[in-house]
Amino acid sequence: MLAGVAALALAGCTGDGGPSVNAKAMKALSPQTLALISEKGMTKDSPIVVRIFKEESELEVWKETTSGDYALLKTYPICRWSGELGPKVKEGDRQAPEGFYTITPGQMNPNSSYYLSFNLGFPNAYDRAWGRTGAHLMVHGDCSSAGCYAMTDEQIQEIFALGRESFQGGQRAFQVQAYPFHMTADNLARHRNNPNLAFWRMLKEGSDTFEVTRQLPKVDVCGRRYVFNATPADPNARFDPNAPCPEFTQPGGLGEAIAARKATDQQRIASASMPAAPVKTGKDGGMNQVFLAKLANPQAKAPGSLPAVVKPPGSDYGVDTNEPAPAESIALATAAQVPTAADVPLPLARPVDAPAAVAPQLAAAAGETSLFGRPAPAPTAQVASLDPAVVPAPAAPASGESSGGLLASVNRLLGRSEAPAEPVAPAAAPSSSPSGFAAIGNWLTGKSAEPAPAPAIPAAAPADVPVPPARPAAPRAAAPAAASQTHANRAVPQAAPSASVSTPAPLAAVAPAQGAASSGSPLPGASIMSTGTFSSSSAIQ
């Protein structure tokens, strides 16, 4: 192990005098950090535990003290994480994982596209039991996230070094505990309406186990759930993620202490009067307040430098970090919730009344007028070619007037009486009756003109009272030839633009895809495979 580390130290420069890709991975801890380690009764190479809290955007490094207990060494503000509170479920959902993950030396990547990184190992046994998918979920630098926890380059430099030193001290793997928030009863009560509450209460058992014992919790999965510091009662039994949990025991007093905390949590949730936190914020992740302050004022101090462009939570665009960010970007990032587009189908366009041009259209279809300038009835064949939805129902004849219309008027002018005609059903209106002077000539000569047979149309039963015509629907916009088009061509009102967050486009300062190799030539020692040794693999971030 020492020989491998020494070889990397000697290979710290390339032939052109520039630092190799492994130089940053082997950079020593700062004197200030070493002094802090000593002050807290720890050693440089003692084991570590990493704890992550999404809502507060914080990453904690705990270290084992000389007394054998773990104590908090340092809290690092998280520069950026993506998604919402809750576990990662599937590839592409932008969710940063929640749960318990084990980091081995082989998951450390000194050749990351995001300065330095270590792979969380998602999906773990619990995630696989639930069929969750995803890969290359990291803690890395560059303050840009798509399912990861992103720090500044300076922060990941120190965190990476702390992990490296723990491996050199003999720790075979360190644990990452990723939580939605600090696991307090009040926080559970605030999020009591979240569908992930049962999952978070299970995570809290692991958090409580660590805080009660101040020891690294032993994590197993059975029955598709986490169990902590558990030992099967049957020595031949084992924990299977997809099988029911066997009967198990826990160290004396631990089960009782965890049960007491669960009872307190349940009582706090049941009696909560505080407003419930929103299930979704619509902001696509978070950013610690110290970095938001630096976006508002580039001269403000922060633990590390920011890339040239950063996309704040809640904004659908990046901001230049060399000048103050727009006030609305800061307001969205600090809001508890931002507006999002409703996740429901858009309604179809509301039908409008038939336009005024329908009547002239019918008159034009008839092609003639009556003796006194009234529009003549349109021929049946022509009317049938129009959309029936926009053709008004024919009006019934006036009282005392036969369907001849003009003939009845001439009889009255000449003083002649005429027997009332038989009532005619509206559907059988004589659309082809002789009109104008042709009708008068037939009457004077005594000829009876037989009306041309009309197409057979089922006659509606006469009503006792006048029935109002059906309200016409909107005319079709398409020509008859296009009548077979689907409803997809209808005009649909578009939703007004909202502040919903879209997936950010890759920034110029960020590598095009996670998991991609560095643009530089890969050199030996791309990722740590065992304590003090590296391989040429560079597939992870």
Side-chain angles (χ1 to χ4, degrees):
M1 178 186 69
L2 293 177
V5 174
L8 287 172
L10 292 175
C13 296
T14 60
D16 59 3
S20 72
V21 294
N22 291 309
K24 58 181 178 290
M26 298 306 302
K27 187 175 180 180
L29 291 167
S30 68
Q32 294 83 358
T33 301
L34 291 173
L36 182 63
I37 289 173
S38 177
E39 176 186 333
K40 295 199 172 187
M42 307 164 180
T43 60
K44 180 179 70 171
D45 57 1
S46 62
I48 66 169
V49 172
V50 173
R51 309 183 86 200
I52 293 173
F53 305 98
K54 277 184 179 177
E55 191 171 50
E56 295 84 358
S57 296
E58 293 177 350
L59 182 150
E60 297 177 347
V61 174
W62 291 61
K63 214 162 165 54
E64 191 179 60
T65 65
T66 54
S67 64
D69 294 333
Y70 278 84
L72 176 63
L73 171 66
K74 199 171 182 179
T75 300
Y76 298 85
I78 296 176
C79 195
R80 195 71 168 87
W81 58 272
S82 62
E84 295 281 356
L85 298 185
K88 183 173 184 64
V89 175
K90 62 182 179 180
E91 180 78 31
D93 62 6
R94 293 185 60 80
Q95 287 291 104
E98 294 176 7
F100 295 84
Y101 298 90
T102 300
I103 314 302
T104 64
Q107 292 166 242
M108 307 288 285
N109 184 15
N111 193 27
S112 173
S113 298
Y114 297 89
Y115 194 72
L116 291 170
S117 69
F118 58 84
N119 193 320
L120 287 170
F122 180 93
N124 62 13
Y126 177 88
D127 302 318
R128 291 192 299 272
W130 286 94
R132 295 173 178 173
T133 59
H136 308 305
L137 282 305
M138 310 282 172
V139 176
H140 60 64
D142 204 44
C143 193
S144 175
S145 172
C148 298
Y149 295 101
M151 320 300 292
T152 63
D153 293 351
E154 293 83 354
Q155 287 176 311
I156 194 62
Q157 175 87 70
E158 184 166 283
I159 297 168
F160 191 96
L162 288 168
R164 180 198 66 214
E165 295 296 333
S166 75
F167 292 139
Q168 291 180 352
Q171 186 175 22
R172 300 178 65 86
F174 67 85
Q175 188 178 88
V176 172
Q177 305 171 7
Y179 300 111
F181 36 72
H182 283 279
M183 306 305 288
T184 65
D186 282 345
N187 278 339
L188 288 176
R190 283 197 309 112
H191 293 278
R192 59 189 178 273
N193 292 336
N194 197 294
N196 294 301
L197 182 62
F199 171 71
W200 292 338
R201 294 183 66 178
M202 179 180 59
L203 295 187
K204 190 176 186 302
E205 292 182 23
S207 175
D208 290 344
T209 299
F210 178 68
E211 293 177 0
V212 167
T213 65
R214 292 301 176 101
Q215 297 291 321
L216 182 69
K218 174 179 160 301
V219 181
D220 291 290
V221 181
C222 60
R224 302 204 298 176
R225 73 180 309 274
Y226 288 111
V227 292
F228 306 96
N229 288 12
T231 302
D234 181 355
N236 296 320
R238 65 185 183 90
F239 294 113
D240 186 334
N242 295 296
C245 292
E247 184 179 352
F248 61 83
T249 61
Q250 292 177 301
L254 177 60
E256 292 78 1
I258 301 302
R261 289 196 173 205
K262 289 176 66 174
T264 301
D265 296 341
Q266 181 62 32
Q267 182 180 7
R268 187 72 183 89
I269 293 172
S271 61
S273 59
M274 64 182 72
V279 172
K280 291 186 178 181
T281 65
K283 297 196 298 182
D284 186 27
M287 173 180 276
N288 191 276
Q289 293 291 330
V290 68
F291 294 111
L292 290 175
K294 188 168 179 62
L295 288 181
N297 177 16
Q299 304 305 317
K301 292 183 179 181
S305 57
L306 297 177
V309 177
V310 168
K311 179 178 172 291
S315 299
D316 56 0
Y317 57 88
V319 299
D320 188 348
T321 57
N322 294 319
E323 57 186 32
E328 59 269 20
S329 297
I330 303 300
L332 286 172
T334 55
Q337 191 173 9
V338 298
T340 56
D343 191 17
V344 294
L346 292 175
L348 295 176
R350 182 176 182 269
V352 295
D353 293 338
V358 170
Q361 182 182 10
L362 295 176
E368 59 178 331
T369 57
S370 65
L371 175 65
F372 299 103
R374 298 177 181 175
T380 303
Q382 290 176 312
V383 173
S385 67
L386 299 175
D387 191 337
V390 299
V391 179
S399 176
E401 184 177 4
S402 70
S403 60
L406 179 62
L407 186 61
S409 300
V410 173
N411 282 332
R412 286 195 296 270
L413 291 174
L414 297 178
R416 295 181 180 181
S417 61
E418 182 180 9
E422 292 292 329
V424 182
S431 58
S432 58
S433 304
S435 59
F437 288 107
I440 298 175
N442 289 337
W443 171 73
L444 292 175
T445 58
K447 295 181 179 181
S448 61
E450 293 292 332
I457 301 177
D464 295 335
V465 295
V467 178
R471 180 173 177 171
R476 295 179 181 175
S484 62
Q485 292 179 345
T486 65
H487 292 292
N489 292 328
R490 289 185 179 179
V492 178
Q494 299 299 316
S498 68
S500 58
V501 180
S502 60
T503 304
L507 305 177
V510 180
Q514 296 183 14
S518 172
S519 58
S521 301
L523 299 178
S527 63
I528 304 176
M529 295 303 296
S530 62
T531 306
T533 61
F534 290 66
S535 77
S536 59
S537 172
S538 61
I540 61 176
Q541 288 180 331

